[in-house]
Coordinates of all heavy atoms in Angstrom, one line a residue:
V1 N -11.9 -19.9 10.4 CA -10.5 -20.0 10.6 C -9.7 -18.9 9.9 O -9.9 -18.6 8.7 CB -10.0 -21.4 9.9 CG1 -8.6 -21.7 10.3 CG2 -10.9 -22.5 10.3
Y2 N -9.0 -18.1 10.7 CA -8.3 -17.0 10.3 C -6.8 -17.3 10.1 O -6.2 -18.0 10.9 CB -8.4 -15.8 11.3 CG -9.8 -15.2 11.5 CD1 -10.8 -15.9 12.1 CD2 -10.0 -13.9 11.0 CE1 -12.1 -15.4 12.3 CE2 -11.3 -13.4 11.2 CZ -12.3 -14.1 11.8 OH -13.5 -13.5 12.0
N3 N -6.2 -16.7 9.1 CA -4.8 -16.7 8.9 C -4.1 -15.5 9.6 O -4.5 -14.4 9.4 CB -4.4 -16.7 7.5 CG -2.9 -16.9 7.3 OD1 -2.2 -17.4 8.1 ND2 -2.4 -16.5 6.1
I4 N -3.2 -15.8 10.6 CA -2.4 -14.7 11.2 C -1.3 -14.3 10.2 O -0.3 -15.0 10.1 CB -1.9 -15.1 12.6 CG1 -3.0 -15.5 13.5 CG2 -1.1 -14.0 13.2 CD1 -2.6 -16.0 14.9
V5 N -1.5 -13.3 9.5 CA -0.7 -13.0 8.3 C 0.8 -12.7 8.5 O 1.6 -12.8 7.6 CB -1.3 -11.9 7.4 CG1 -2.7 -12.4 6.9 CG2 -1.5 -10.6 8.2
D6 N 1.1 -12.2 9.8 CA 2.5 -11.9 10.0 C 3.1 -12.9 10.9 O 4.3 -12.8 11.3 CB 2.6 -10.5 10.7 CG 1.6 -10.2 11.8 OD1 0.7 -11.0 12.0 OD2 1.8 -9.2 12.5
G7 N 2.4 -14.0 11.3 CA 3.0 -15.1 12.0 C 3.6 -14.8 13.3 O 3.3 -13.8 14.0
V8 N 4.5 -15.7 13.7 CA 5.2 -15.5 15.0 C 6.4 -14.6 14.9 O 6.6 -13.7 15.7 CB 5.6 -16.9 15.5 CG1 6.5 -16.8 16.8 CG2 4.4 -17.8 15.8
E9 N 7.2 -14.8 13.8 CA 8.4 -14.0 13.7 C 8.2 -12.7 12.9 O 9.0 -11.8 13.1 CB 9.5 -14.8 13.0 CG 10.0 -16.0 13.8 CD 11.1 -16.7 13.2 OE1 12.2 -16.1 13.0 OE2 11.0 -17.9 12.8
G10 N 7.2 -12.6 12.1 CA 6.9 -11.4 11.3 C 7.6 -11.3 10.0 O 8.3 -12.2 9.6
D11 N 7.3 -10.2 9.3 CA 7.9 -10.0 8.0 C 9.3 -9.3 8.2 O 9.6 -8.7 9.3 CB 7.0 -9.0 7.2 CG 5.7 -9.7 6.9 OD1 5.7 -10.9 6.4 OD2 4.6 -9.1 7.1
T12 N 10.1 -9.3 7.2 CA 11.4 -8.7 7.3 C 11.4 -7.2 7.1 O 10.6 -6.6 6.4 CB 12.4 -9.3 6.2 OG1 11.8 -9.1 4.9 CG2 12.6 -10.8 6.5
V13 N 12.3 -6.5 7.8 CA 12.4 -5.1 7.7 C 13.1 -4.8 6.4 O 14.2 -5.3 6.1 CB 13.3 -4.5 8.9 CG1 13.6 -3.0 8.7 CG2 12.6 -4.8 10.2
D14 N 12.5 -3.8 5.6 CA 13.1 -3.5 4.3 C 13.6 -2.0 4.4 O 12.9 -1.1 4.0 CB 12.0 -3.6 3.2 CG 12.6 -3.3 1.8 OD1 13.8 -3.3 1.7 OD2 11.8 -3.2 0.9
D15 N 14.7 -1.8 5.0 CA 15.3 -0.5 5.2 C 16.8 -0.7 5.2 O 17.4 -1.0 6.3 CB 14.8 0.1 6.4 CG 15.3 1.5 6.7 OD1 16.1 2.0 5.8 OD2 15.0 2.1 7.7
P16 N 17.5 -0.4 4.1 CA 19.0 -0.6 4.1 C 19.7 0.3 5.1 O 20.9 0.0 5.5 CB 19.3 -0.2 2.7 CG 18.1 -0.4 1.9 CD 17.0 -0.1 2.8
E17 N 19.1 1.3 5.6 CA 19.7 2.2 6.6 C 19.6 1.7 8.0 O 20.2 2.2 8.9 CB 19.1 3.6 6.5 CG 19.3 4.3 5.1 CD 20.7 4.4 4.7 OE1 21.5 4.8 5.6 OE2 21.1 4.2 3.5
S18 N 18.7 0.7 8.2 CA 18.5 0.2 9.5 C 19.4 -1.0 9.8 O 19.7 -1.8 9.0 CB 17.0 -0.3 9.6 OG 16.8 -1.0 10.8
V19 N 19.8 -1.1 11.1 CA 20.6 -2.2 11.5 C 19.7 -3.5 11.5 O 20.3 -4.6 11.6 CB 21.2 -2.0 12.9 CG1 22.1 -0.9 12.9 CG2 20.0 -1.8 14.0
F20 N 18.4 -3.4 11.4 CA 17.5 -4.5 11.4 C 17.1 -4.9 10.0 O 16.2 -5.7 9.8 CB 16.3 -4.2 12.2 CG 16.6 -3.9 13.7 CD1 16.2 -2.7 14.2 CD2 17.3 -4.8 14.5 CE1 16.5 -2.4 15.5 CE2 17.6 -4.5 15.8 CZ 17.2 -3.3 16.3
H21 N 17.7 -4.3 9.0 CA 17.4 -4.6 7.6 C 17.5 -6.1 7.3 O 18.5 -6.8 7.6 CB 18.3 -3.9 6.6 CG 18.1 -4.2 5.2 ND1 16.9 -3.9 4.5 CD2 18.9 -4.8 4.2 CE1 17.0 -4.2 3.3 NE2 18.2 -4.8 3.1
G22 N 16.5 -6.7 6.8 CA 16.4 -8.1 6.5 C 16.1 -9.0 7.7 O 16.0 -10.2 7.5
K23 N 15.9 -8.4 8.8 CA 15.6 -9.2 10.0 C 14.1 -9.2 10.2 O 13.4 -8.3 9.8 CB 16.2 -8.6 11.3 CG 17.8 -8.5 11.2 CD 18.4 -9.8 11.0 CE 20.0 -9.7 11.1 NZ 20.5 -8.8 10.0
R24 N 13.6 -10.3 10.8 CA 12.1 -10.4 11.1 C 11.8 -9.6 12.4 O 11.5 -10.2 13.4 CB 11.7 -11.8 11.1 CG 11.9 -12.5 9.8 CD 11.3 -13.9 9.7 NE 11.5 -14.5 8.4 CZ 10.7 -14.2 7.4 NH1 9.6 -13.4 7.5 NH2 10.9 -14.8 6.2
M25 N 11.7 -8.3 12.3 CA 11.4 -7.5 13.4 C 10.4 -6.4 13.1 O 10.2 -5.4 13.8 CB 12.7 -6.8 14.0 CG 13.8 -7.8 14.4 SD 15.2 -7.1 15.1 CE 14.6 -6.4 16.6
K26 N 9.7 -6.6 12.0 CA 8.7 -5.6 11.5 C 7.4 -5.8 12.2 O 6.7 -4.8 12.5 CB 8.5 -5.8 10.0 CG 7.7 -4.8 9.3 CD 7.6 -5.0 7.8 CE 6.7 -4.0 7.2 NZ 6.7 -4.2 5.7
N27 N 6.9 -7.0 12.4 CA 5.6 -7.2 13.0 C 5.7 -8.6 13.6 O 6.7 -9.1 14.1 CB 4.5 -7.0 12.0 CG 4.8 -7.7 10.7 OD1 5.5 -8.7 10.6 ND2 4.2 -7.1 9.6
G28 N 4.6 -9.4 13.6 CA 4.6 -10.7 14.1 C 4.3 -10.8 15.6 O 4.4 -9.8 16.3
W29 N 4.0 -12.0 16.0 CA 3.6 -12.2 17.4 C 4.7 -11.8 18.4 O 4.5 -11.2 19.4 CB 3.2 -13.7 17.7 CG 2.4 -13.8 19.0 CD1 3.0 -13.8 20.2 CD2 1.0 -14.0 19.1 NE1 2.0 -14.0 21.2 CE2 0.8 -14.1 20.5 CE3 0.0 -14.1 18.2 CZ2 -0.5 -14.4 21.0 CZ3 -1.3 -14.3 18.7 CH2 -1.6 -14.4 20.1
K30 N 6.0 -12.2 18.0 CA 7.1 -11.9 18.9 C 7.4 -10.4 19.1 O 8.1 -10.0 20.0 CB 8.4 -12.6 18.5 CG 8.3 -14.1 18.6 CD 9.6 -14.8 18.2 CE 10.6 -14.6 19.3 NZ 11.8 -15.4 19.1
N31 N 6.9 -9.6 18.2 CA 7.1 -8.2 18.2 C 5.9 -7.4 18.6 O 5.9 -6.2 18.7 CB 7.6 -7.7 16.8 CG 8.9 -8.3 16.4 OD1 9.9 -8.2 17.2 ND2 8.9 -8.9 15.3
S32 N 4.8 -8.1 19.0 CA 3.5 -7.4 19.3 C 2.7 -8.0 20.3 O 1.7 -7.4 20.7 CB 2.7 -7.2 18.0 OG 2.5 -8.5 17.4
A33 N 3.0 -9.2 20.9 CA 2.2 -9.8 21.9 C 3.1 -10.7 22.7 O 4.2 -11.1 22.3 CB 1.1 -10.6 21.2
P34 N 2.6 -11.1 23.9 CA 3.4 -12.0 24.8 C 3.7 -13.3 24.2 O 2.9 -13.9 23.5 CB 2.5 -12.1 26.1 CG 1.6 -10.9 26.0 CD 1.3 -10.7 24.5
W35 N 4.9 -13.8 24.5 CA 5.3 -15.1 24.0 C 6.3 -15.8 25.0 O 6.9 -15.1 25.8 CB 5.9 -15.1 22.6 CG 7.2 -14.2 22.5 CD1 7.2 -12.8 22.3 CD2 8.5 -14.6 22.5 NE1 8.5 -12.4 22.3 CE2 9.3 -13.5 22.4 CE3 9.1 -15.9 22.7 CZ2 10.7 -13.5 22.4 CZ3 10.5 -15.9 22.7 CH2 11.3 -14.8 22.5
V36 N 6.5 -17.1 24.9 CA 7.3 -17.8 25.8 C 8.1 -18.9 25.1 O 7.9 -19.2 24.0 CB 6.4 -18.5 26.9 CG1 5.6 -17.5 27.7 CG2 5.5 -19.6 26.2
Y37 N 9.1 -19.4 25.8 CA 9.9 -20.6 25.4 C 9.3 -21.8 26.1 O 9.5 -22.9 25.6 CB 11.4 -20.5 25.7 CG 12.1 -19.5 24.8 CD1 12.7 -18.4 25.4 CD2 12.2 -19.7 23.4 CE1 13.4 -17.5 24.6 CE2 13.0 -18.8 22.6 CZ 13.5 -17.7 23.2 OH 14.2 -16.8 22.4
D38 N 8.8 -21.6 27.3 CA 8.3 -22.7 28.1 C 7.2 -23.5 27.4 O 6.4 -22.9 26.7 CB 7.7 -22.2 29.4 CG 8.7 -21.6 30.3 OD1 9.9 -21.9 30.2 OD2 8.3 -20.7 31.1
I39 N 7.3 -24.8 27.5 CA 6.4 -25.7 26.7 C 5.4 -26.5 27.6 O 5.8 -27.1 28.6 CB 7.2 -26.7 25.9 CG1 7.9 -25.9 24.8 CG2 6.2 -27.7 25.2 CD1 8.9 -26.8 24.0
D40 N 4.2 -26.5 27.3 CA 3.2 -27.3 27.9 C 3.0 -28.6 27.0 O 2.5 -28.5 25.9 CB 1.8 -26.6 28.1 CG 0.7 -27.5 28.7 OD1 1.0 -28.7 28.9 OD2 -0.4 -27.0 28.9
P41 N 3.5 -29.7 27.4 CA 3.5 -30.9 26.5 C 2.1 -31.3 26.1 O 2.0 -31.9 25.0 CB 4.1 -32.0 27.4 CG 4.9 -31.3 28.4 CD 4.2 -30.0 28.7
E42 N 1.1 -30.9 26.8 CA -0.3 -31.2 26.4 C -0.7 -30.4 25.2 O -1.7 -30.7 24.6 CB -1.2 -31.0 27.6 CG -1.0 -32.0 28.8 CD -1.3 -33.4 28.3 OE1 -2.3 -33.7 27.7 OE2 -0.4 -34.3 28.6
K43 N 0.0 -29.4 24.9 CA -0.4 -28.5 23.8 C 0.4 -28.8 22.5 O 0.3 -28.1 21.5 CB -0.3 -27.0 24.2 CG -1.4 -26.6 25.2 CD -1.3 -25.1 25.4 CE -2.5 -24.6 26.3 NZ -3.8 -24.7 25.6
V44 N 1.3 -29.8 22.6 CA 2.0 -30.2 21.4 C 1.4 -31.5 20.9 O 1.5 -32.6 21.5 CB 3.5 -30.4 21.7 CG1 4.2 -30.9 20.4 CG2 4.1 -29.1 22.3

C-alpha cells in the first residue's frame, strides 16, 4: 500500500511573486494526471 504523497489537489505554491502563491497548483493528481467530475456510483 503506497501513499500518494501529493494527493489530488497537491501542495501549495510557495512563491510570493506568483499569482498562484498559497494555491494548490504545485503538484497533485489534478496538476499531473487525468481527472473527472463524473461519478460512477459503484465506485463510491
Side-chain angles (χ1 to χ4, degrees):
V1 190
Y2 291 72
N3 185 19
I4 301 178
V5 296
D6 48 348
V8 173
E9 296 186 60
D11 296 311
T12 56
V13 174
D14 184 14
D15 181 1
E17 301 300 320
S18 171
V19 295
F20 302 119
H21 178 63
K23 305 298 189 298
R24 294 188 178 279
M25 300 183 68
K26 184 177 180 180
N27 45 31
W29 196 285
K30 292 186 72 172
N31 299 306
S32 55
W35 58 277
V36 298
Y37 288 116
D38 297 335
I39 295 173
D40 178 354
E42 292 299 312
K43 289 186 176 292
V44 180

